[in-house]
Structure formats: C-alpha cells, structure tokens
Amino acid sequence: MNLEESSARKRIPLAELQRGMYVVELDQPWLKTPFFSHSRHIKNGDDIELLAKHGIREVVIDLERSVDAEMPEPTSELEPIVEKNGSKPESTAATRARLRDERILRPLNHELSVARGIHKEALATVQSVFDGVGRGSRLNSPAAKQTVTDILGSVTRSPEANLLLIQMRRFQNDLFTHAVNVCVLSLVVGTLEGFADEVYELGVGALLHDIGQVRLPRNLLRKNDSFTDQERRLVEQHPALGAAMLEQEESIPTASRRIVMEHHERLNGTGYPQKLGGESISPLSQIVAITDAYDAMIIGRNGILRRPIDVLRQLYLDANAGAFSRDLIEKVIRSLGVYPVGSLVELNTGERGIVLAANRSDTLKPTIRLILSRDGLPLLRGPILSLAEEKSVAIGRQIVRTLDPGKERIDIMSHLTLATGLAG
C-alpha cells in the first residue's frame, strides 16, 4: 500500500508539522541526511527547524503514534512469551509471538541446511571451473549454469538463509568465495526487485564476472601493495579477457557475457576497460557492478574490512558522484538491508539482538531476535520482534551500533533455532 493511501499515515508539508507528531518518512533518502533514523517524535520547534535546515520539505506522519502530550519514557519490560505446558493456557500475545517465531525461523532453519550444501558445492565448482580455464581448458559451462540454478532456487526459497551464509564467511576474501558471494547478492537483488525475467542471466554473469582474472599473473593478484601504473592497466583488462573467453561459449547468454565485460564500467565514464557511460551499460551489468563493489569492501579484498552501513554510505556517495544509478543503489539497500542478516546489533535500550530479516520499507528497522536483556542477562531463545512494528513503547527500539560476534563471544548460529517443539 502506498503511504499516501494509508489511513494511519499522511504526507504533509513541513510547515504543518507540529510537536507531538510522529514522523516515519522524510522526502530525502536517509543516506543524504545526518539522521540515523527517519522515524522520530517531534518534541519541539527545534526538531522542526533542524529538518528545515537539512532541506526537508515534506514528511509522512503516523497518525496513530502522534500525540499532543510529551512522550512518556519507554517501558522497561518485554511482554513475556509463554510456552504451552498443558496446565496453563497460552495467552493471545504469546500465541502471536510463537506463531511469528515459527513463521520467521522455520523457513530460515530449513533452508540453512540446504543452502549450506549448495554454497559448499558452488565454491568447489567455481574453483574447478576457474582453475580449468586458467590451465587453458574450455569453460565448463554446464557446471557453472547448474550452480546458478541451484543458488537461484535456494535464494527464491529463503534470501535470508543465503545472506546469512555470506555473513558467516565474511573473512574469506579469495576469488572463488567472492564469485559465489556476488552471484548470491545479485540473485537476491534480482529476485526481490523485479528482474525475474532476467535473473538467470544476471546470476550467470555475476558468477563468472571475474573469470578473466585467472589469465593474469598470480603474483599480481596476490600483491598487497599498491599497483604500479603498468600493473593497474594489466589488471583493468580482466573484464575484456573474461568476455573473450566466453565469446566461444554459445551456451552462455549474451546478457551474461555483457556483464562480464561491463561490471567495472561506471555511468559517469570513469570505469574500465572501455570507459562506457550512461545507457550504454546494461542494468544487469550495473547491478553486478554494485554487488561486486559491495562484497569487495565487506570481505576486505583491498585489505580493509568495512561495516555494511559504511559500505552502503560509500556506494551512495559514489552514486551521487554519478558512478552508479541511485535507483539501483536504493534497490540494493532494500534487498540486502543496512544491517545484513546475521549481524549482531545493540539497541538504544541496551538490549542486544541478531538480525533475522531485512525490512524493505524501512531498512533501519529489521526483524531481530533479542539475545541479551537491557539488564545484561542472556536470553535463551529470546523474543523475535520487528523494530518497524514496535508500538508497545512511545519511543521505539532503535539500533545504535553493530558488534563483532567474535569479540563478544556470541555464536550467531546457536540463536537461530526455533523454540522446543517448533523445529522441523
């Protein structure tokens, strides 16, 4: 439903905004404003003046959450989830929570085991295919295409399970892992953002986008220092080398070959190897260009690991500079989420949780499972809640930072199980 059509939400000019109204959307993308979240109660005239200062002209307000009085402090207790024990009937709230847990976790749990096998096989296949081409053999296109088919099936069943596996191997930055990651990321975006008719071609191009690198000197690819101008020119030929390999593979779709050739091109003509620009770069190539850059920064292929939120900010800045389509960047953000599935996050309440699913309508408010109370107590199979649907408190829970599960000694996977009796 469109926001303007909702009976609970209304778009108004900034001049009509008043104290007590609850803002849920601004007329500027969140990455272009200094506000970490666009959802907020308006407490006084200073809040309105701050919005005006940053170029906001219209806002969408939630009428149900807008009040005339000062906002009360958030409550300190979660509504408990009560399990059935035969002697005490389950409350309505507990039933809703249990069914929500099952709806979210059952497909994730089921597909995780399937996707793990698919990803393992995909990594082995990519290494075999790439190594074969590196030795001078022809591309094993049937194996590559079957890999894409298998990954696409899994992504269709549960994008979250596939994104979680990428998060779990975040510190693997080899060529083969990167190829599979970019394929998964591209298929998630393509599946969720209306590219269904071309999603297979998108996946094949994404999986093979860096295959030209196997024809480069290995010591060049392993080099940690900056490239010389001559080395950089050589590296920048890998898209053309890859496309040339695929020219003789008639079974590889034309759109996929084009992705291999164009994935380092940029809309403003600053890319390589042909310095194409604008509409001469296909939309599929642009998607892979974004997911390629995203994964390279996430897994630290340049030697520096970055947080997903920092990567997305950088990509958005690149789009503002004309390198990427802003529309496609926003599609990627909606699909992958600012906080990827499997992220360990801390809330403004002091609670901690694990991201289970992105929220495509408000990327800063994913669905999470709480694993630590605001008192610092571990929660065994803690409640699952959507930060976007929080209405039990006047000032909703918000993510304030991401944490390193390794440093916090948190086993992410152990918290992704259903409550007793729901697994299966």
Side-chain angles (χ1 to χ4, degrees):
M1 180 187 300
N2 190 292
L3 284 174
E4 287 85 342
E5 299 171 351
S6 171
S7 60
R9 296 187 175 190
K10 182 179 180 181
R11 184 178 295 277
I12 62 172
L14 190 69
E16 296 181 12
L17 189 63
Q18 301 177 26
R19 183 185 65 82
M21 290 183 173
Y22 192 89
V23 175
V24 293
E25 183 181 316
L26 307 179
D27 62 359
Q28 297 282 349
W30 70 271
L31 283 169
K32 291 186 65 178
T33 72
F35 312 116
F36 193 68
S37 171
H38 282 185
S39 296
R40 59 184 61 230
H41 271 109
I42 299 301
K43 298 178 181 178
N44 50 48
D46 291 342
D47 287 349
I48 299 173
E49 184 178 343
L50 185 62
L51 293 173
K53 179 180 177 182
H54 290 283
I56 307 303
R57 295 292 176 263
E58 289 186 331
V59 298
V60 176
I61 60 171
D62 188 324
L63 299 175
E64 293 181 351
R65 301 177 73 177
S66 297
V67 295
D68 294 326
E70 291 291 332
M71 298 301 103
E73 292 297 316
T75 58
S76 59
E77 297 298 328
L78 284 171
E79 186 172 31
I81 294 179
V82 182
E83 294 186 1
K84 288 183 177 179
N85 55 24
S87 59
K88 185 178 180 180
E90 188 175 51
S91 70
T92 302
T95 300
R96 287 199 303 267
R98 177 176 58 80
L99 292 175
R100 181 183 61 225
D101 288 9
E102 184 173 7
R103 174 176 55 82
I104 293 172
L105 284 181
R106 187 181 292 280
L108 179 61
N109 275 239
H110 174 74
E111 190 59 35
L112 260 178
S113 60
V114 177
R116 188 179 287 109
I118 290 173
H119 283 220
K120 182 178 180 181
E121 182 65 27
L123 289 167
T125 298
V126 168
Q127 182 169 2
S128 174
V129 169
F130 279 39
D131 284 349
V133 171
R135 292 192 300 268
S137 301
R138 287 193 63 175
L139 176 76
N140 186 347
S141 55
K145 292 192 294 183
Q146 184 60 51
T147 295
V148 173
T149 299
D150 293 342
I151 295 175
L152 177 57
S154 182
V155 164
T156 302
R157 293 187 296 271
S158 175
E160 294 80 12
N162 286 269
L163 293 174
L164 176 61
L165 290 176
I166 289 181
Q167 181 75 356
M168 293 299 98
R169 57 171 179 262
R170 185 181 169 194
F171 299 101
Q172 296 174 244
N173 60 7
D174 58 271
L175 177 63
F176 316 119
T177 299
H178 177 63
V180 173
N181 287 357
V182 173
C183 180
V184 171
L185 294 169
S186 299
L187 288 175
V188 169
V189 175
T191 300
L192 297 178
E193 289 293 340
F195 292 88
D197 293 341
E198 304 170 290
V199 71
Y200 172 75
E201 291 84 353
L202 174 64
V204 173
L207 188 72
L208 301 176
H209 76 281
D210 270 344
I211 196 167
Q213 290 196 16
V214 301
R215 292 289 172 85
L216 298 177
R218 290 192 176 185
N219 63 326
L220 187 61
L221 297 178
R222 294 171 180 168
K223 185 176 180 179
N224 294 322
D225 300 329
S226 299
F227 292 133
T228 65
D229 289 343
Q230 183 179 2
E231 289 171 337
R232 182 176 294 102
R233 286 194 294 271
L234 183 58
V235 169
E236 290 180 354
Q237 289 306 307
H238 79 266
L241 292 172
M245 292 181 207
L246 300 184
E247 279 297 324
Q248 57 186 315
E249 303 296 334
E250 295 181 359
S251 64
I252 300 297
T254 300
S256 304
R257 296 200 296 267
R258 188 173 176 183
I259 289 170
V260 174
M261 184 66 174
E262 297 177 352
H263 72 277
H264 277 294
E265 301 289 356
R266 299 294 183 258
L267 294 182
N268 57 7
T270 60
Y272 61 84
Q274 296 178 298
K275 296 193 178 300
L276 301 177
E279 295 182 358
S280 59
I281 308 170
S282 79
L284 299 186
S285 299
Q286 294 178 47
I287 291 175
V288 175
I290 295 170
T291 57
D292 173 41
Y294 176 90
D295 188 65
M297 286 187 276
I298 289 291
I299 67 176
R301 293 201 79 197
N302 59 357
I304 302 174
L305 283 170
R306 298 196 193 184
R307 299 181 306 161
I309 191 170
D310 295 329
V311 171
L312 292 174
R313 287 187 188 278
Q314 181 59 55
L315 292 174
Y316 206 94
L317 290 173
D318 292 341
N320 286 340
F324 299 119
S325 159
R326 188 179 302 173
D327 178 62
L328 284 179
I329 288 288
E330 291 178 353
K331 289 181 187 297
V332 170
I333 292 174
R334 283 199 302 268
S335 301
L336 307 184
V338 172
Y339 304 103
V341 176
S343 297
L344 177 63
V345 296
E346 183 171 279
L347 307 183
N348 56 344
T349 57
E351 298 161 306
R352 293 183 178 182
I354 295 170
V355 176
L356 299 181
N359 175 6
R360 289 169 52 72
S361 61
D362 190 338
T363 56
L364 292 176
K365 294 184 177 181
T367 297
I368 67 172
R369 161 166 268 181
L370 293 181
I371 65 169
L372 198 72
S373 73
R374 64 189 65 200
D375 298 320
L377 300 177
L379 300 173
L380 179 63
R381 297 190 181 95
I384 293 175
L385 52 103
S386 167
L387 297 182
E389 296 174 1
E390 277 255 290
K391 294 184 179 179
S392 60
V393 293
I395 303 175
R397 294 179 177 87
Q398 297 179 358
I399 295 173
V400 295
R401 62 172 177 155
T402 57
L403 301 168
D404 184 339
K407 292 180 179 178
E408 302 297 328
R409 298 184 178 181
I410 298 295
D411 179 6
I412 297 294
M413 302 302 286
S414 69
H415 291 281
L416 301 180
T417 57
L418 285 163
T420 304
L422 293 180

